[in-house]
Each structure stands twice: as structure tokens, then as C-alpha cells.
Amino acid sequence: MKKPYHREAGCANSRRWGLARRVWLNCQALMVNVEFRPMAMEQTRELVVGALCALSVCLMVLAPFRANAAAEKSQPEACHLHGWSQSLRCYQVPVGTESKPVLLAVAVAPAINPDGSEPLYLLAGGPGQAASHLAPLLHSFRKVNRNRDIVMVDRRGAGRSGAFDCGLQQELPADLETLSARLGRCYREQQARTEGLNSRRAVEDLEQVRGHLGHDKIALWGGSWGTRTALLYQQWYPQSLSVLVLDAVAPIDAKVFLSAGAAEQALVELQEDCREDRSCAALGDWRSELDQLLRDWESVAGRLADPLTGAPLQRRVPRWELANAVRTALYDPAAAAQLPYVIHQAAVGNLLPLSGLTSLFLPAADSMSMGLTFSVACAEELSRISDAEVVADSRDTFLGSAFIDLFLAGCRVWPVPPAPYTDPQPRDHPVLLISGSADPITPPHYADSQLEYLSHKRHLIVDGGGHINSRRGCIPELIADFLGDPEQPLDAACVSEIRRPPFMVAASGPALDAGSQQAGSAVVRNEVAE
């Protein structure tokens, strides 16, 4: 029979092993609270080596008891989340200090046939979105969920972990002055809540949840700002991590709130694709019409209608809201496919289609906890962006400063201290990067040019894709294959079959021959350390 220890390790010597066995028996006696006589302490090298060997044995004995104790701290309850019909296991996990714990809501979709694979944690974007809002993503991750748990942790101040919404959970005020006033009042009344609402605390909490649930290593999926959280977790707790899947990558050193240039590039790509589509091209120069509409918006005579009732709105929609609605439409290829028609109709005096488009922006507050959003954004993004950078990013774009103005106004009344990051250090975890070529806020070049410190990465680019592509086409299958064996090359030819949705060219929808559109092209970039 093979000996359990090599001689070089110092534990094969029978005398040492005998000493280790005696210590192991003492450990066992401690566990059952049995009296035992202490051993005499011999000041010899043999005893030290033997005791070290015994310590590892003792830890193996204690480990199951520690795991059982952790499991007993928080028993799950059956629960359901919107967008997913199956039962989940929900926990209330205490994090922070023992004297002042905070309970985080954790939902787990248990594996159908668990095989010991590490769980996949889903990290939400925003900042300010709750992971529990990602439950619909479970439909696309069914293959992943066959053999591994999928875990959703609502971070402090989001979702079911004490949403810090400042009373803005329904919609944002259209007037930036009104928004600033409400945010300022919220900050003054709840300033204590802003302390600890940052990425460092979110990562520390996530690590505590991992330990509480008894997980050794975990895999991470992050979307948008969730990729930033995942990359920071990789920096601070590399030993707890196996692999990462990052969709719509926000690198640690990227100033992602400078997004006007990225939005402009996404619109240009949409314009080029429209020219290649016979039906869309027939709409004419809708891009020039958009520029004219934005220039003259404040003097447009008509009013937009309520997108649900069709009744004229009692308020005028400001220009910044209109520009942000166009930007938000670019996030989703299906919404982007409506833009040429909607803009052309507005240019000829029909504002009804545009009314539906503007509804895309303001209700986004429903999924964000705005107190958390501004706590993180002001400390970690706006604090490192200069006025000159805002001017440069906004120049010659349809968006201008309309997006960042909202945060500049909010951060003036939300004076949290800056929370800078340190330079990222090299890491060799397998990483799958996913980008849409027409993403209006996290363009592919972020993943290509600002992650040099990752030596083991692969990059999938979806042609015409917007913001977050994990649910599109064969991407869920590729994610499952990557998680199953991250060392194997991915056959990503199927990505070229993911197409832009047909362009809307009339009130009834796309042209009848829209299915003749050509498929896009897949781009796969691999960097694997030898």
C-alpha cells in the first residue's frame, strides 16, 4: 500500500507519524469533550515536524465540523424571483462585523445534477442594480445550471438587501435641478448609509458570503459594472476564484462614464448597417434628421404622448432626456433597429413613435437603487474625470454631455470622498470576455486594450451586438463550454450567425424580405499563457 506521506515531507518516519497520530487522537478527544492527559513537550526537531504533520490532520478532522457549523448559521428558505418560475434557495447572510452585521439577500438556483463543480456567482451592473434582477438570465444558463449552483447576491443597498433608492424608484425627475434637490435631501438625511457603499466593501461582502456558504472556489459572471466588481474581486481574492466570464467589460482603469464617444460609434455602426439594408436605406438620411431634431428640440411645437395611454404629456421632454433615450435604445439591438424609422417619422412631424422610444430611459430607475448608484459613481468614477475630458469626449457626438451631466449634477450634492483604485496586478485565471461591436458604453476596445495584465483571456465580439450579449444566439452554449473546460479552445464560428434584428421601416414593422439580411462576422481573440 502506498504510504500516505512522502519521506521528503517529513511524515513517513514512523516516530513522527506516531506523534502525529497521538495529536490527532487529542484533536478527536477535544471534539467529543473527553478528558485526556497532555503530552510531554520534547524540544526536538522531530517533535516540531511531527506536530506540523499532525496539525494538517487535525485541520482535516475539524473542517467538516466547521462546514457544518457554517451551514447551521443560515438555513435557506424556498423562494421565487421575478422572471424565473422555479423554486430557489434563499438565505439572509450576515456580513460586516459581528457587532454591526448587515444581512444580504442571497438566492441560489441549485444544480440539477451536482458534480462538485464550483458555483457560478452572477454580479449585476449599474452600479446600483441588484443581482436578484438577473433571475431571467437563468433561462439562458440552463446548461450551466445542470451541474453547478448559480448564486445571486444582492449587494448592500440594492434589491432585497436594503435598497437605497432615495424615493426615486419609480422615475427620475426630468428637471436636473429637481433631481439634484431630491438627491441632496436624501444625502443629508441618510448620509450614514453612504459609508461603506463602495466596490471594496462589495467585494469584501462577497468574500464573506462565499465563506458562509461553504464554497471553496467560485466562478464569476459579471455584466457591465458587474465586470468591474469581478475584476476587483480577482485582484483582492485571487485564491478564491477559478474562472471569470465578463460581458460588456468595464476595466478597472477605464473611465466608462465618458460614454459619448462610444455611443457615437455605436450610432455610426447602426447607420452603416442601415445603408446596407435596402428597406432601411429607403428611409433616407435619418442621421442628419436626428442631428437637426436635437438642435431644434426646445422649439419643437408638438408634445410627446404618454407611451401607454397616447394622451399628450403635461410636461415637455427636455433635450437631455431625448438624447439619453436614443443612447439607451442602442443598448438593445431590437430597440436600435427601430431608431431610423422613429427618427425619420419625428422629422416629418409624427412624434408618436418617438414617444415610445423616450419611455426607454426614465423607467430604468426602477432597477437601480439611486443612493447606491451615486455613492459608487461619485466616489469611483466622477472623482477621476476632469472637465477637459468631458469636453473632449462630448465633442462632435449626438449625445454631447447629456449622460454625464446627470451624474455631474448629482455628485455636486453627494459629496462622498474619492475611492481610487490601485494599479491592477497580473493574474492568470482563465477569462472569457464578451463584447458587442455596437455597445454604446463598454466598446470592444476596452477589453482589447485595457486588460494586458490578464494572461489567459479569450474575447468574443458579436457583430452589431449592443450592451450585454450573454443571452444571444450560441453565447450561452459557449459560456457553458468555457466553464466546463476553460483550457479547451472554443469553436466560436456560431457567433457569426447572430444577426441584428430586422430594421423597422413602417408602423407595421420590418419589411417582408428582412430575413434576407446577411449574417454578421464573429471575432475571437485568444491570449493563453504557455
Side-chain angles (χ1 to χ4, degrees):
M1 181 180 292
K2 186 177 179 181
K3 293 182 179 180
Y5 293 92
H6 295 292
R7 182 173 297 278
E8 291 76 12
C11 291
N13 183 287
S14 60
R15 181 182 176 192
R16 294 172 184 168
W17 177 249
L19 181 59
R21 185 173 182 276
R22 291 170 62 193
V23 176
W24 178 82
L25 290 172
N26 283 328
C27 286
Q28 202 173 37
L30 279 171
M31 293 305 301
V32 296
N33 199 27
V34 175
E35 288 189 2
F36 63 99
R37 187 167 61 184
M39 297 181 299
M41 181 65 73
E42 298 176 13
Q43 302 298 319
T44 65
R45 182 176 178 276
E46 296 288 335
L47 183 145
V48 173
V49 175
L52 290 173
C53 296
L55 177 60
S56 64
V57 177
C58 186
L59 289 174
M60 286 190 290
V61 173
L62 290 173
F65 291 93
R66 292 171 59 195
N68 290 339
E72 290 173 0
K73 289 180 182 178
S74 176
Q75 292 299 320
E77 295 182 354
C79 67
H80 290 83
L81 292 177
H82 180 71
W84 181 247
S85 61
Q86 298 181 30
S87 178
L88 303 169
R89 297 173 185 163
C90 285
Y91 299 80
Q92 291 288 319
V93 177
V95 296
T97 62
E98 292 186 5
S99 61
K100 196 175 181 181
V102 174
L103 292 178
L104 296 189
V106 179
V108 179
I112 305 301
N113 295 302
D115 62 3
S117 297
E118 71 275 5
L120 177 67
Y121 281 55
L122 306 183
L123 303 183
Q129 185 184 23
S132 56
H133 294 159
L134 300 177
L137 193 59
L138 295 174
H139 293 279
S140 299
F141 286 177
R142 285 182 183 274
K143 185 175 180 179
V144 174
N145 200 202
R146 288 177 189 171
N147 65 323
R148 68 181 75 226
D149 292 351
I150 297 181
V151 183
M152 295 162 282
V153 182
D154 281 359
R155 62 180 291 176
R156 295 188 192 210
R160 300 171 304 138
S161 296
F164 187 12
D165 54 38
C166 289
L168 298 171
Q169 67 272 27
Q170 295 302 319
E171 65 177 26
L172 296 177
D175 183 345
L176 290 183
E177 291 184 3
T178 303
L179 173 63
S180 295
R182 291 181 62 176
L183 283 172
R185 183 167 62 251
C186 177
Y187 181 85
R188 291 189 299 272
E189 294 174 352
Q190 304 186 64
Q191 182 177 352
R193 293 196 66 182
T194 67
E195 298 175 6
L197 289 183
N198 52 52
S199 292
R200 183 80 209 200
R201 184 69 264 173
V203 168
E204 298 290 345
D205 288 348
L206 189 64
E207 176 65 1
Q208 284 190 262
V209 171
R210 181 199 64 79
H212 185 94
L213 296 182
H215 296 148
D216 181 13
K217 290 193 174 186
I218 61 175
L220 292 179
W221 177 94
S224 192
W225 188 269
T227 67
R228 173 77 58 85
T229 307
L231 289 166
L232 291 172
Y233 186 92
Q234 182 192 34
Q235 287 294 304
W236 297 330
Y237 291 101
Q239 73 284 356
S240 300
L241 189 60
S242 59
V243 299
L244 300 95
V245 178
L246 306 179
D247 190 347
V249 185
I252 293 172
D253 54 357
K255 299 176 182 180
V256 295
F257 279 55
L258 291 173
S259 63
E264 178 65 25
Q265 183 55 45
L267 190 69
V268 168
E269 185 171 331
L270 180 72
Q271 186 180 6
E272 292 171 351
D273 289 348
C274 178
R275 287 197 190 107
E276 295 177 3
D277 181 280
R278 183 175 64 253
S279 299
C280 187
L283 293 173
D285 189 4
W286 58 269
R287 173 56 202 269
S288 294
E289 291 173 339
L290 172 63
D291 293 338
Q292 185 69 37
L293 189 67
L294 290 170
R295 279 195 301 270
D296 300 341
W297 183 247
E298 301 300 340
S299 60
V300 170
R303 288 182 180 270
L304 295 182
D306 185 298
L308 297 180
T309 67
L313 291 176
Q314 296 303 308
R315 64 177 182 88
R316 291 195 64 86
V317 173
R319 182 191 180 282
W320 73 268
E321 184 180 330
L322 176 63
N324 274 297
V326 174
R327 168 189 168 274
T328 303
L330 293 169
Y331 274 56
D332 178 5
Q338 302 175 43
L339 272 174
Y341 172 77
V342 167
I343 292 166
H344 177 65
Q345 286 296 302
V348 297
N350 179 14
L351 297 180
L352 284 176
L354 187 61
S355 299
L357 185 74
T358 57
S359 69
L360 293 174
F361 178 64
L362 291 184
D366 289 350
S367 63
M368 297 291 173
S369 297
M370 301 308 290
L372 172 60
T373 296
F374 280 91
S375 293
V376 177
C378 298
E380 301 178 24
E381 278 288 310
L382 277 294
S383 62
R384 57 177 178 166
I385 293 175
S386 69
D387 292 342
E389 288 175 314
V390 173
V391 171
D393 178 60
S394 304
R395 187 178 298 119
D396 299 326
T397 67
F398 80 90
L399 184 62
S401 62
F403 174 70
I404 201 167
D405 279 349
L406 186 155
F407 288 93
L408 290 171
C411 290
R412 281 193 284 270
V413 297
W414 202 273
V416 290
Y421 309 121
T422 57
D423 292 336
Q425 300 302 305
R427 294 289 183 262
D428 61 1
H429 303 88
V431 182
L432 179 63
L433 308 169
I434 305 169
S435 298
S437 67
D439 187 331
I441 190 166
T442 52
H445 73 79
Y446 278 176
D448 277 340
S449 63
Q450 295 186 254
L451 297 174
E452 296 89 349
Y453 63 92
L454 300 181
S455 60
H456 199 339
K457 59 183 182 289
R458 305 172 187 183
H459 191 191
L460 304 178
I461 301 178
V462 179
D463 189 47
H467 192 62
I468 307 292
N469 290 274
S470 287
R471 301 181 67 176
R472 301 191 66 206
C474 64
I475 299 297
E477 186 82 13
L478 293 176
I479 291 173
D481 291 345
F482 173 76
L483 291 171
D485 191 349
E487 301 302 328
Q488 289 297 315
L490 289 176
D491 181 4
C494 61
V495 178
S496 64
E497 299 173 6
I498 303 175
R499 308 182 183 191
R500 272 193 188 274
F503 284 99
M504 182 177 184
V505 295
S508 57
L512 293 178
D513 63 347
S516 64
Q517 268 190 305
Q518 295 297 313
S521 58
V523 180
V524 185
R525 302 184 180 127
N526 297 283
E527 291 184 29
V528 181
E530 298 296 334

